[in-house]
Amino acid sequence: MALTQQQEAMVGVYGQLPHVVNRFFTRRIKKGKIPFITNTQTINFEILEEFVRKAKILQRGAKFPNAKLNGSSIKSVTPEVIKDSFPFFVTDELNRQAGMSIYVNGKKVDNTTYERDRRIAGLKQSIETVQEEISAGVFLKGTYKSPDTKNEVKYDFAKETSVAKTAVEDWAIWLTKQINEFTKKSKVPVSEILVGEKIFNDLLKTYNAVSNKVIPAQVNRVKTEDGDFELHFNAFGFDLVMIPQISDTEGNAIDFSDKIIFYNDLAYLPAYAGVLNVVNGVASMEAIDTIIRETDADKETGEAKTLGESAYCPIVVNSSLIKIVKITGLS
C-alpha cells in the first residue's frame, strides 16, 4: 500500500528539516551508499549478502560475517522499531484568535502547518538520537542492544590490538606502517583515521614539539555536509579526526579515548526493515527509512498522534575492513 499524499508531505518535511543531533557515526555508516531496504520486519542475511556482492560492497572472496543474537548465531535480524509520538488535539491548530498569524524567521506561516512541522521536528530529533546511539555501538564495537527489549545483536568484528606508547617512536612512521599493512591485507585503502581524545592530544603535542615546526599545528573545526562540526588535525600527511564522546543505547559511555580506528567505508551498510502503515483501517508494511503518519482522533478524548517510526539496522558486512589499535601508557 502506497503512502497517502498527507504522509508523503510529512515524510518530505522530515527529510527537509535540518539535523539537530550530532550524526558522527550515522553519517559515516551511510556515506556514499544506497541503503538496503525491505518491506518485511526481518532482514534476511542471505538476501543481504546477495545484495552486497552484486553491489561490489563485499569483495570477491570475502566472507559475509556472522551475527549473533543474545549469544546464538542468526541468519536474519528483526530490528526493534525506533518510534516516538506527539499527541495533539484539534484545538492545538485553532488556538489563536481569528486574524492572528505566526511569523517564523520573518515569514508568515500557516498555523496548521506550523503545528504539524513542530511535531515532526520533535520526532526527527528523537529518532536520530537513537539512530546515532545504535550507529556508535555498531561502528566502534560491532554490537548494539535494543533499548526496548534489551536484545543484543553482535556482528563479527575486528579484534582490537594493543601497542605501548613507548613502542611508537615516530607517529608519522607508525601511522604510515599501519596504513600500508591495512591496504596490503584488505586490498582497499583506508577511508579515514579516527582517533580518541587522548591520542588526538598526544599527536598534537608531539607534532608541535618537533623543533622545525615554526608555526604550530592547529585543530580545525570542520563543518560537515549536514551541518555538524568535527575536530580535524592535519599532520604527518594524514587527516586525523577526533572521535566525540558518545553513549550507547543504554546510556553507557563508549570509551575510545586511547584507541585508533582505521577503516574503509565498505565495512558498514545502512539497512532498514519494514515499518507498519495504517490507512483507512488497513495495515501494511512499507519499505521506507522513516515513516511519519497521524492516527485518527480518539472518539472520547479527541486526541490524535503524529507518529514517527524507523526500523534502522546498521550492519557490519566486512569486518576485515576495520582495524582498531589501543595505545597503552598514554598520560
Side-chain angles (χ1 to χ4, degrees), residues 19 21-33 131-132 135-136 139 192 222-232 241-242 244 263 265 270 312:
H19 302 288
V21 174
N22 190 325
R23 301 169 66 251
F24 187 92
F25 298 102
T26 305
R27 182 166 56 250
R28 284 166 169 78
I29 287 176
K30 293 183 176 182
K31 183 180 178 182
K33 308 180 190 86
Q131 287 182 340
E132 179 65 4
S135 294
F139 193 97
E192 198 173 33
V222 178
K223 188 174 184 179
T224 66
E225 67 275 9
D226 54 3
D228 283 349
F229 285 93
E230 300 175 348
L231 294 182
H232 289 238
V241 187
M242 189 171 83
Y263 73 97
D265 291 331
Y312 175 59

Side-chain angles (χ1 to χ4, degrees), residues 76-283:
S76 62
V77 62
T78 303
E80 302 299 325
V81 177
I82 304 167
K83 62 177 65 176
D84 204 348
S85 64
F86 277 74
F88 68 95
F89 297 85
V90 175
T91 53
D92 289 339
E93 298 178 351
L94 302 173
N95 59 2
R96 297 181 181 273
Q97 297 179 10
M100 291 185 66
S101 300
I102 296 176
Y103 288 86
V104 180
N105 296 327
K107 294 182 179 180
K108 186 177 180 180
V109 181
D110 174 75
N111 187 33
T112 300
T113 300
Y114 167 79
E115 295 291 348
R116 180 203 66 183
D117 291 1
R118 183 173 60 85
R119 294 193 297 272
I120 295 175
L123 292 172
K124 183 162 188 170
Q125 180 170 346
S126 175
I127 290 172
E128 289 194 346
T129 295
V130 179
Q131 287 182 340
E132 179 65 4
E133 292 170 346
I134 292 173
S135 294
V138 171
F139 193 97
L140 298 176
K141 303 187 300 179
T143 182
Y144 81 92
K145 183 176 287 189
S146 164
D148 295 324
T149 66
K150 305 304 178 184
N151 287 335
E152 185 174 25
V153 176
K154 287 187 176 182
Y155 301 107
D156 282 350
F157 202 63
K159 292 184 178 179
E160 180 183 300
T161 58
S162 293
V163 175
K165 175 62 173 66
T166 53
V168 184
E169 297 181 4
D170 184 293
W171 273 116
I173 295 174
W174 187 85
L175 287 169
T176 301
K177 182 179 178 181
Q178 298 302 312
I179 290 175
N180 288 340
E181 288 179 352
F182 179 99
T183 303
K184 182 178 179 181
K185 183 178 179 180
S186 66
K187 305 295 190 296
V188 294
V190 172
S191 296
E192 198 173 33
I193 307 173
L194 305 181
V195 300
E197 183 178 0
K198 289 182 180 178
I199 297 175
F200 192 84
N201 293 335
D202 192 84
L203 282 160
L204 183 61
K205 181 175 65 176
T206 302
Y207 183 83
N208 286 336
V210 178
S211 59
N212 63 354
K213 297 297 183 297
V214 178
I215 302 176
Q218 299 294 322
V219 175
N220 298 312
R221 188 167 179 261
V222 178
K223 188 174 184 179
T224 66
E225 67 275 9
D226 54 3
D228 283 349
F229 285 93
E230 300 175 348
L231 294 182
H232 289 238
F233 170 45
N234 291 285
F236 313 119
F238 306 107
D239 181 24
L240 307 166
V241 187
M242 189 171 83
I243 299 171
Q245 300 294 323
I246 187 67
S247 298
D248 61 21
T249 55
E250 296 183 293
N252 302 314
I254 301 176
D255 184 10
F256 239 72
S257 60
D258 57 355
K259 299 175 185 178
I260 302 177
I261 180 169
F262 305 86
Y263 73 97
N264 181 277
D265 291 331
L266 296 180
Y268 306 94
L269 180 72
Y272 298 87
V275 287
L276 182 68
N277 189 19
V278 180
V279 178
N280 297 325
V282 179

Side-chain angles (χ1 to χ4, degrees), residues 299-328:
K299 293 181 179 179
E300 292 185 5
T301 66
E303 180 184 273
K305 291 181 180 180
T306 301
L307 303 174
E309 300 181 18
S310 175
Y312 175 59
C313 183
I315 295 173
V316 179
V317 294
N318 194 342
S319 59
S320 69
L321 304 184
I322 304 166
K323 181 177 183 178
I324 299 174
V325 182
K326 179 176 181 178
I327 306 297
T328 62

